[in-house]
Amino acid sequence: VQLQASGGGLVQTGSSLKLSCEASGFTLGDYAIGWFRQAPGKEREGVSCIAGSGGSTIYSDYVKGRFTASRDMAKNTMYLQMNSLKPEDTAVYYCAVRKVFGIPTQYCPINEILREDDFGSWGQGTQVTVSS
């Protein structure tokens, strides 16, 4: 199970950016996939979680209404469309597989709280920098 995030870059406030998370070794729709981010000097925080095939998506309050997670099953890739970007969105963005007791699952956290410890198989992150 491997994930690789890409698509980051340097943009201005108010701009949009679309991140990709390509999966290898498994079918993306089989598991719930989370997006997280880590800003310098801060802990990694959850951004969104998209459940397995046909499931729902949850978002953290600080990105709700601006970010949209989606999945292209044919390309085995998921995306994070980020609109109305703010300087506080600057971070390294990661994708990861939702796990329960270390076992991948198709379900996002039922309490909609995205904790780093509930995810695994972290991919290499991609840097997003939003200038003011």
Side-chain angles (χ1 to χ4, degrees):
V1 174
Q2 281 192 318
L3 296 170
Q4 178 67 53
S6 62
L10 172 62
V11 297
Q12 293 184 330
T13 297
S15 298
S16 297
L17 205 57
K18 189 173 185 178
L19 305 183
S20 299
C21 175
E22 187 173 354
S24 59
F26 72 103
T27 300
L28 202 59
D30 287 347
Y31 306 131
I33 304 295
W35 281 101
F36 284 73
R37 66 186 186 186
Q38 187 167 21
K42 295 187 177 181
E43 293 186 352
R44 196 174 297 186
E45 62 181 11
V47 174
S48 75
C49 178
I50 184 167
S53 299
S56 59
T57 306
I58 59 176
Y59 299 93
S60 296
D61 288 342
Y62 35 83
V63 303
K64 198 172 293 183
R66 299 188 298 124
F67 291 11
T68 303
S70 62
R71 181 167 39 209
D72 186 330
M73 298 299 292
K75 296 182 178 180
N76 212 32
T77 300
M78 69 174 292
Y79 302 97
L80 185 67
Q81 176 67 47
M82 306 186 297
N83 298 328
S84 302
L85 283 163
K86 306 174 182 180
E88 50 263 43
D89 294 319
T90 295
V92 178
Y93 284 71
Y94 301 87
C95 50
V97 178
R98 174 81 207 290
K99 294 186 175 182
V100 177
F101 300 116
I103 300 172
T105 176
Q106 64 174 307
Y107 302 107
C108 292
I110 194 170
N111 59 6
E112 300 193 354
I113 296 175
L114 302 176
R115 299 189 321 126
E116 181 180 1
D117 290 345
D118 292 335
F119 291 79
S121 301
W122 295 90
Q124 185 175 348
T126 185
Q127 176 72 48
V128 172
T129 303
V130 184
S131 63
S132 57

